[in-house]
Amino acid sequence: YDGTGRTLSVWIGDPESEDVCEDVGDDMILMKNAGGQIIGFEKLNVALDPGVPGLTVEIISSPERARG
């Protein structure tokens, strides 16, 4: 979280592989690799209330895709 820029960036892949960013509206930007896979997102205009020490993040693992 960048309090000065009021942005929250979340990477779910290698940030070094970022090739393109896509503005999808609602103050949301998707970061994609050269293959078009989403490797992260950035939420713009995020403001924490005064006195809030930070953000709580919950990580949820999804089951592996069925192999066919």
Side-chain angles (χ1 to χ4, degrees):
Y1 175 70
D2 175 0
T4 303
R6 296 181 23 181
T7 60
L8 173 66
S9 299
V10 177
W11 293 97
I12 54 176
D14 180 11
E16 296 291 321
S17 69
E18 179 183 349
D19 184 59
V20 68
C21 294
E22 178 182 350
D23 185 343
V24 294
D26 289 330
D27 292 333
M28 183 72 69
I29 296 174
L30 300 179
M31 286 84 87
K32 298 180 179 182
N33 63 17
Q37 295 173 313
I38 296 171
I39 57 169
F41 65 88
E42 184 171 63
K43 179 68 176 158
L44 307 176
N45 298 313
V46 176
L48 297 178
D49 291 330
V52 174
L55 300 170
T56 301
V57 177
E58 181 178 356
I59 298 173
I60 300 172
S61 297
S62 61
E64 285 189 41
R65 294 182 179 182
R67 295 181 183 169

